[in-house]
Amino acid sequence: MLLNNYHYLLLINHTKNQRGNVKALLFLALSLSFGAQVQAKNFVYCSEGSPSSFNPQLVTDGTSITASSANIYNRLVEFEAGSTKVVPALASSWEVSKDKKTYTFTLRKGVKFHTTKYFTPTREFNAEDVVFSIERQRNKSHPYHNVGGGKYEYFDGMEMGTLIKDIKVLDPYKVQITLAQPDAPFIANMAMSFMSILSKEYADKLAASKKMADMDNFPIGTGAYQFISYQKDSVIRYEENKSFWGKKGNVDKLIFAITPDANVRTQKLKTGECQMATDPSPADVAEMKKNPKLTVMEDAGLNIGFLAMNVTKKPFDNVLVRQAISHALDKQTYIKAIYMGNATPAKNLIPPTIWSYNNSVTDYNYDVNKAKELLKKAGLPNGFETEMWTLPVARPYNPNGKKMGELMQADLAKIGIKVKLISYDWPTYLEKSKQGAHSMLQMGWTGDNGDPDNFFNVLLGCASVKSGSNYPRWCNQKFNKLITDAKLATDIKTRTKYYMEAQVIAHNEAPLVNIANSKTFKVMAKNIKGYKLDPLGQDYLTNITVE
């Protein structure tokens, strides 16, 4: 019997000190296994990093979302594959009251949670699971609220706890959610990753056995794939959920080969060690397009890459310093060197493809003399010393954080700012940045629902400072009122007016430097069908077929 990928990677892990043999073993093993996978309908996905958790309530990064909610879990409503249209999922339908404050969801019957080595459900999905999943995040006295740290970055950052006034079970297949006030993006927010439905029965079992933390490490969902095992920084194994309620492709075994280096992902794809590679290096795209064995898909990304300056630390509490840095960074150079031209300079927090984009905002031009003048006005004519965290994983909004950091370091040196570059592994980077430990850090965002609120509120809202997704930790009351009023407004014209005003404030206050809106690329073997490029940046592998 041939060893599968997991066993090979285990072997490699155990012998990692024997570096001379490892490379040969890896090539031989994965090449052999790839041949077996095609027959067994296995699918190897070269991912870019390790997930920080398998509980989508606790994460906001695409790496963790793809490893969890996109393929293990479902939500009451979801986005139609390849679009931002909201469609029924675990809720077969929903009704909204005339005052737009009460949503009544009718739940789908016959949906089963995963049966694994560590959990066997005795009942099907019902309203109790919906209440559990929301209450865990909303209710601070809920027994599971503090499990996993008690940080619900999306839920808190979007003020869902304040918005949701009540949730109750009408019958086993009907749930009613009452809002404190109308909320325009509510139904789209319900389709987002953090509103995934977890199993209350599983939670009760873990609580009884005093293993509550396992809820986030050994996931149980209703999605097309179920979790088998995870080796940090190496491999995640899933297998088909044979009881899946929806349509799926023909993949029996799904394997995430964690491969942080984009160039290595490309090589693995070329040699057949993986059948899909996420976020290829822009430098490799042109060559891959010419490869007859590969399919390259591309689209304008719903994303923004930025440099956040922590306004709670000196000297970044001074707007003149922030404006000086905005003038000192040469975005055009970064776009040529980092994105290979596959991006456009960004001047607002939202990309130009989202409604309410304020095109009248004038970007900070690259002007070293102007930057020096502003630093002098700030009382720092000789500059200062600081740190910059560089992104440790390739993301569509920043394919090479280290290289971009070096370019930024050189630019800032021209105005007297001496920058020390620092990085961490991805989960640590996320955790420390949530705590505000940084001075400057590279980060970015891919929209989750196509609504401007998903950028403004999550990344610059006052509530998001506490939840951790407001990386500059900038809380401007005037800005915050505008984006709050925009959520309460019921017509898009009024909402657009508020957001356009908010963009002017964000530009003038410069809590972050908007760097680029990039194209996104996905590359896969020609025999892989059924994949749809997600405008929201996740890799949904449910409908993949291996021919």
Side-chain angles (χ1 to χ4, degrees):
M1 180 179 175
L2 284 173
L3 295 176
N4 60 27
N5 267 351
Y6 176 61
H7 292 116
Y8 281 122
L9 287 165
L10 273 176
L11 173 64
I12 289 163
N13 190 49
H14 289 320
T15 59
K16 61 184 179 183
N17 58 332
Q18 301 172 10
R19 296 189 181 279
N21 297 326
V22 167
K23 192 171 180 181
L25 274 171
L26 177 64
F27 180 80
L28 175 63
L30 289 176
S31 297
L32 285 170
S33 63
F34 176 71
Q37 288 154 15
V38 173
Q39 292 180 343
K41 305 298 184 187
N42 289 359
F43 180 74
V44 181
Y45 169 85
C46 271
S47 62
E48 77 281 26
S50 295
S52 54
S53 172
F54 285 98
N55 181 353
Q57 299 173 330
L58 301 172
V59 303
T60 58
D61 63 296
T63 304
S64 301
I65 290 172
T66 294
S68 60
S69 58
N71 295 296
I72 297 176
Y73 290 101
N74 294 114
R75 293 140 293 284
L76 294 184
V77 294
E78 296 183 351
F79 297 111
E80 187 177 63
S83 81
T84 55
K85 179 184 176 185
V86 176
V87 296
L90 292 181
S92 55
S93 63
W94 62 94
E95 296 176 356
V96 187
S97 63
K98 285 185 179 177
D99 64 1
K100 299 185 186 303
K101 292 178 16 182
T102 302
Y103 288 72
T104 304
F105 295 92
T106 299
L107 307 185
R108 191 178 298 277
K109 295 181 179 177
V111 176
K112 296 179 180 177
F113 280 100
H114 299 154
T115 298
T116 66
K117 289 182 178 177
Y118 51 88
F119 179 65
T120 301
T122 64
R123 64 165 176 80
E124 295 178 344
F125 154 77
N126 66 31
E128 288 186 23
D129 303 306
V130 179
V131 174
F132 167 80
S133 300
I134 294 176
E135 287 292 68
R136 173 179 174 171
Q137 300 177 85
R138 188 176 82 107
N139 183 355
K140 291 181 180 175
S141 63
H142 190 280
Y144 267 89
H145 184 78
N146 291 320
V147 175
K151 282 274 189 179
Y152 301 95
E153 204 170 325
Y154 265 133
F155 195 87
D156 294 339
M158 297 168 73
E159 300 182 87
M160 294 292 279
T162 305
L163 176 65
I164 297 176
K165 183 180 176 184
D166 190 28
I167 173 170
K168 59 184 177 184
V169 174
L170 300 184
D171 70 39
Y173 293 97
K174 197 155 283 191
V175 172
Q176 190 173 81
I177 298 176
T178 303
L179 307 183
Q181 66 273 331
D183 187 82
F186 176 71
I187 199 67
N189 292 346
M190 290 294 289
M192 290 173 58
S193 170
F194 73 99
M195 295 306 279
S196 292
I197 303 301
L198 283 60
S199 165
K200 182 180 185 299
E201 184 186 12
Y202 179 47
D204 289 343
K205 180 193 171 193
L206 292 175
S209 57
K210 302 187 185 308
K211 294 180 178 178
M212 294 168 77
D214 283 3
M215 190 81 186
D216 305 331
N217 300 321
F218 298 93
I220 292 291
T222 56
Y225 298 102
Q226 56 190 48
F227 177 84
I228 299 299
S229 63
Y230 168 51
Q231 279 188 286
K232 190 174 187 299
D233 300 331
S234 179
V235 63
I236 312 170
R237 296 188 71 232
Y238 309 87
E239 67 180 13
E240 173 194 19
N241 171 16
K242 290 186 168 55
S243 301
F244 182 53
W245 57 274
K247 286 181 64 178
K248 71 176 294 297
N250 67 350
V251 173
D252 301 312
K253 306 286 184 187
L254 172 64
I255 299 155
F256 279 28
I258 298 170
T259 313
D261 189 309
N263 295 322
V264 176
R265 289 199 297 275
T266 298
Q267 290 306 313
K268 284 185 173 181
L269 188 63
K270 287 179 180 177
T271 58
E273 295 174 33
C274 58
Q275 292 145 296
M276 181 174 172
T278 191
D279 304 324
S281 168
D284 295 329
V285 170
E287 182 187 345
M288 287 192 285
K289 284 181 176 178
K290 298 175 185 174
N291 189 327
K293 296 179 180 179
L294 302 177
T295 298
V296 179
M297 302 175 76
E298 67 178 78
D299 198 3
L302 205 68
N303 62 43
I304 174 76
F306 56 78
L307 179 73
M309 294 167 277
N310 189 338
V311 303
T312 66
K313 292 187 176 182
K314 290 186 178 300
F316 304 105
D317 58 338
N318 188 330
V319 66
L320 295 174
V321 172
R322 302 197 298 267
Q323 291 174 341
I325 290 173
S326 299
H327 277 296
L329 299 180
D330 185 0
K331 299 179 189 178
Q332 292 289 358
T333 294
Y334 312 153
I335 287 171
K336 289 178 185 173
I338 307 294
Y339 302 88
M340 301 297 151
N342 294 305
T344 54
K347 61 182 182 180
N348 291 313
L349 186 62
I350 57 173
T353 49
I354 288 189
W355 59 270
S356 81
Y357 181 81
N358 191 339
N359 200 34
S360 66
V361 168
T362 301
D363 197 11
Y364 292 93
N365 61 323
Y366 175 55
D367 188 335
V368 173
N369 290 330
K370 180 70 176 176
K372 287 180 177 176
E373 181 186 325
L374 287 165
L375 270 190
K376 187 176 179 181
K377 283 184 180 177
L380 295 164
N382 299 316
F384 56 92
E385 294 185 13
T386 188
E387 295 177 347
M388 180 191 297
W389 294 8
T390 61
L391 208 66
V393 294
R395 306 297 299 146
Y397 49 74
N398 186 347
N400 192 332
K402 183 174 183 293
K403 187 173 181 180
M404 185 182 284
E406 291 167 352
L407 293 173
M408 289 178 165
Q409 185 183 46
D411 281 342
L412 294 175
K414 294 173 187 172
I415 61 170
I417 300 177
K418 296 178 182 177
V419 176
K420 180 181 179 183
L421 302 180
I422 294 175
S423 195
Y424 301 95
D425 65 85
W426 186 226
T428 304
Y429 192 92
L430 290 170
E431 185 57 34
K432 291 175 77 70
S433 60
K434 283 181 194 175
Q435 297 165 3
H438 55 282
S439 295
M440 292 194 291
L441 107 161
Q442 297 173 352
M443 191 53 83
W445 191 253
T446 298
D448 294 290
N449 60 19
D451 194 286
D453 178 72
N454 182 246
F455 285 79
F456 292 120
N457 212 5
V458 174
L459 297 173
L460 290 179
C462 289
S464 299
V465 174
K466 188 176 180 182
S467 64
S469 59
N470 183 333
Y471 299 103
R473 306 182 80 77
W474 176 72
C475 175
N476 180 289
Q477 295 300 333
K478 191 173 179 182
F479 174 90
N480 202 63
K481 184 175 188 311
L482 285 167
I483 63 173
T484 302
D485 289 346
K487 283 184 71 179
L488 296 173
T490 54
D491 69 284
I492 198 166
K493 186 176 177 182
T494 304
R495 295 188 72 202
T496 296
K497 176 177 175 293
Y498 289 138
Y499 286 132
M500 291 187 79
E501 290 179 30
Q503 285 167 83
V504 173
I505 294 173
H507 172 265
N508 293 340
E509 288 292 314
L512 41 79
V513 184
N514 299 305
I515 302 296
N517 307 118
S518 72
K519 284 185 179 180
T520 56
F521 297 94
K522 302 292 178 183
V523 191
M524 63 206 76
K526 279 286 185 188
N527 68 324
I528 301 304
K529 307 295 182 185
Y531 176 84
K532 287 194 176 181
L533 202 60
D534 177 33
L536 305 175
Q538 312 310 321
D539 282 329
Y540 291 89
L541 306 173
T542 300
N543 295 315
I544 291 285
T545 59
V546 181
E547 294 185 344

